[in-house]
Amino acid sequence: MDDALTIRLADTESITSYSPIVSKDKRFLLCCSGCDVKVYSIRSGQCVHVLRGHQDLVTSVLFNPANQFQVLSSSLDGTIKRWNFEDGVLINTTTPRCLDSSTPLAVYGMYDLPNDKKHFIYLIKTSGGDNSEEKGGYRFLKQTVQMETWSTADFISTRTMKKLPSHVSIGGKGSFLAAIISTNEFDVFNLLKGGNSLRHRVSNDSNVVEVMQCLAKPTCLAAHPSEDCVAVGHADGKINIWSNVLSKKAKHSWVAWHALPVLSLKFTPEGSYLLSGGHESVLVKWCHGAYGNPAQREYLPRLGAPVAHINSSEDNSVYVTSHLDNSIKVVRNWIVVQIFQGLTRDHLSAGKDAFVAGVNFEPRSGALVLNGLPGHLQFYSLNEDTLLYNLDIVGQNYTSGDSLAHQHNYTRIELVDFTADGSWMVTVERWSGSYSEQCRMKLWFYDTETSSYVLNTDIDRPHQGGVASVRFSMCASEDDSQTIMLVSVGSADRKFKLWRITDSQSDGRKSGSSWRMESTGYYKNKNCLSAEFSDDGSILAVIFANSLTLWDPFENQLCTAFDLKSDIKSAKFCHGAQANYIAIATENDVILWDLLAYSEKYKWEGVSCKFLVVDPLSDFFLGFSANAGYIFSCSGDMKSIDFPSYARNITTAAFTTNKQATTAPHSVKRRVYLSSSTGSLLVVDDKDVAHRPDVTPTVEEASKNRLAKNYQQLTPLANLLAGNLVQQNRDSKAQIDSRRGLAATQLVQQIGETSCVAMPSINTLCRAFIHSLLMDTLPKSKRKQDEDSESEMEVESSDSENEEGVPRKPLVDDVSNAPQETAGRRLRKSDVLDFRNAWQKIK
């Protein structure tokens, strides 16, 4: 165990923490995602690039004012990176430095200056200097875009802010900067006069008589692009419009529609409309100033989750909204035309564990299964970094409450488990009201026809007071038949129950097939905490307070029990050659118990773990508390896991398939994913893997990326076309298969295997097909002769050669053993007919 371990953020971080941006040609959308920047194709919805290189959270992404094909990204690691986002290539990295400090500083955001192609503004935290008595704070700096010759930036104001500004916006054609700094005021910095600041009070004072203008604390703001005007949103749903903000005698008026706090505001590029969004999940479009009556509004309702950020394209033809469920929606002509969905966050679980059901691994698809939308489970593909689907478990509709303090109670999914082959799934859902509670356990079978889980059995109140744990087991019975068993543990009735399907050979679709309770058990009236099956399903371990009991699940007989000094938190059976061991975590110790010798094998004193997780492919197991982690081996070794600052309040963990295996013994074929109470998904990795290197593609990879971007998505068909073009550029005289129509057949097969959603335009397909059949240009003296002999060439043998010996361009790259020809000819009508016939067969 010489490999150092640490915890890093998984690649499924939120894509809505900061506002996304849209490219000038409206082809790409870029957003911050943890330590990365993701580049999406608006047309296909696919993630075409992930810009990796930052070592800490990315705080903003901004188009280079001097080059719209480049973007700048800032991070808390104190660096600003410049990228070619279309090719996914890192250009350079710079470290901002201010006058009073020589150490790298965290960059909290970048903001562009309208009508200024040479400068941009960024926000940093200063350290106060090595010899200065002044404490650090937050400052706005103005910097040139010539990052190759990075110089010391200039402060736009002498004022140091003690609190981190929020909702920063630049307006008035770049003449001022507005930001919310305190709980009841917003500040305006005059960028034309050395950053002189004015402070406007936006909340009510106790002596103010006008109750209608008594506004709650500000939640967001937006500056008008050309006027000295700022719109401020408030927690009570009102929007305050301030004019002449560069004067001490600024005036303001208010408009209202939102019933809940306003979360985001944005003026359109020309300033004629104001866009607002909040907890109502509605995008509202207001007329502004001389362009219309503010009472005239347009609504885009049922967006699914509260609107956190709003942005628009430069020509005002595309709007982009970010939502608290970690989704981004693209709006064109007031219609949602594209949705980018990250790992779904339940926006109604504020102040609660977002992934209360824990991290679960679905063996069929290899997906992570976690809590998703309210009442849903999400199946998230780790290999594709894509949400597969949300499965509705509860079957209820949800509406927002009249206030954030009085949200409607909704049913939460608390427990999930799968059989080893993924054929069955069990869920436990619970609803808690003021006077009653509801708890249901549901059994789902996997339907191969619909490729989804279908409800088979619905059990109301399986235990009194809720369910604490559920586990499946697939084991061989006495007649060598496969038996599926389920154990459920009550959280209040101090019992466990064993369940079995009525017809073990049933696939779940027969009318008489259902689950029934077979037996129940208890031990000395102690609280029952959890239960686990052994690797072969022959032993059932049940935890009762400080006692660990072992049962025969077929006869429901107690085999043995032993007591410990303190309560047991978790117990897990080891696998494979170490199946005779069981790992036990108590309040103060971790114990490896030998079931054959009935004694302690190893004991790690003073190590407190809340839960354990066992690697099914090795002799390693891991233990975690809220803020600490350890890795143990059955040979007695132990090593701690480094916890970064953002890895706190760990709640659950699970091993999943790790295709990018490392040399560490614990992660050869598996990887550990963790969930925190804050909704973050983390992964345990080696330190050299967790240290994220800069990504710089090779020349050939960049060439292929440039060709693939013409098709707007990285689908199998796009990769095939791009690969063929690269191959043709590399070897224009390659020999090819001579069978007429082969290229058309294979191309049509690729079309049939590609989803219609990810299909490129038909013009692109036809052009690629025709180009694959085009010949090298023949001499004029041979052109007429070729036309006269066209009918004869159709019946000639495929291995005949042209007098000039000019080879055709390759139709496909992977055909190497087929007969070859060097006779050049032009595209004939029969080739088009072959393409049409092949297409009809596919249809």
Side-chain angles (χ1 to χ4, degrees), residues 7-296:
I7 293 178
R8 65 172 177 85
L9 291 171
D11 295 334
T12 57
E13 273 302 292
S14 172
I15 61 176
T16 60
S17 299
Y18 302 94
S19 179
I21 59 176
V22 181
S23 62
K24 189 173 182 179
D25 56 6
K26 300 180 292 296
R27 294 169 53 202
F28 300 101
L29 180 141
L30 294 86
C31 61
C32 306
S33 177
C35 301
D36 307 326
V37 176
K38 291 186 176 181
V39 183
Y40 290 96
S41 169
I42 293 181
R43 182 177 180 182
S44 68
Q46 301 292 325
C47 180
V48 295
H49 294 298
V50 179
L51 308 181
R52 289 191 172 97
H54 287 291
Q55 307 302 321
D56 208 332
L57 296 177
V58 177
T59 56
S60 65
V61 57
L62 176 71
F63 284 108
N64 187 349
N67 190 340
Q68 289 298 315
F69 297 98
Q70 299 175 0
V71 293
L72 309 176
S73 62
S74 63
S75 172
L76 296 181
D77 62 5
T79 63
I80 295 179
K81 296 181 182 292
R82 182 169 56 163
W83 312 80
N84 184 331
F85 66 92
E86 291 195 2
D87 293 336
V89 178
L90 175 65
I91 299 176
N92 65 341
T93 302
T94 57
T95 301
R97 302 180 188 277
C98 57
L99 295 174
D100 57 354
S101 176
S102 60
T103 58
L105 303 172
V107 185
Y108 287 89
M110 297 182 297
Y111 316 96
D112 59 343
L113 290 168
N115 305 322
D116 189 347
K117 303 300 183 182
K118 298 182 179 180
H119 302 86
F120 67 95
I121 292 177
Y122 62 95
L123 174 65
I124 66 170
K125 183 177 182 179
T126 63
S127 60
D130 298 333
N131 300 322
S132 173
E133 298 180 357
E134 179 185 359
K135 296 183 179 179
Y138 300 93
R139 304 284 292 272
F140 287 105
L141 286 82
K142 186 177 181 180
Q143 181 66 54
T144 61
V145 298
Q146 299 297 330
M147 299 176 63
E148 294 87 351
T149 58
W150 189 275
S151 59
T152 303
D154 298 326
F155 292 114
I156 67 170
S157 175
T158 58
R159 176 185 169 194
T160 300
M161 297 163 287
K162 300 302 181 182
K163 295 182 179 180
L164 178 65
S166 62
H167 295 87
V168 179
S169 182
I170 297 177
K173 298 181 180 181
S175 61
F176 70 91
L177 181 148
I180 298 176
I181 300 178
S182 61
T183 58
N184 59 354
E185 297 170 334
F186 74 94
D187 286 42
V188 177
F189 296 86
N190 191 333
L191 302 180
L192 302 179
K193 294 184 178 181
N196 294 332
S197 62
L198 293 174
R199 181 169 295 180
H200 299 281
R201 192 173 185 84
V202 297
S203 65
N204 181 41
D205 191 270
S206 58
N207 297 324
V208 176
V209 182
E210 298 180 65
V211 181
M212 293 299 295
Q213 295 188 5
C214 297
L215 305 178
K217 69 176 183 178
T219 55
C220 58
L221 62 75
H224 195 279
S226 58
E227 301 175 3
D228 296 342
C229 174
V230 175
V232 182
H234 296 267
D236 59 357
K238 294 183 175 65
I239 301 175
N240 208 8
I241 310 296
W242 290 75
S243 59
N244 198 19
V245 293
L246 294 178
S247 171
K248 295 183 178 180
K249 298 181 180 180
K251 299 180 180 180
H252 62 93
S253 60
W254 60 270
V255 294
W257 177 85
H258 296 275
L260 299 176
V262 183
L263 298 180
S264 181
L265 291 171
K266 178 68 176 180
F267 280 100
T268 55
E270 75 283 357
S272 58
Y273 296 97
L274 173 66
L275 303 173
S276 66
H279 285 275
E280 299 85 2
S281 305
V282 178
L283 180 63
V284 185
K285 188 176 183 180
W286 309 74
C287 291
H288 173 71
Y291 299 96
N293 186 356
Q296 296 177 353

Side-chain angles (χ1 to χ4, degrees), residues 748-761:
V748 172
Q749 288 177 353
Q750 290 290 337
I751 295 174
E753 294 173 358
T754 303
S755 172
C756 60
V757 179
M759 188 75 68
S761 64

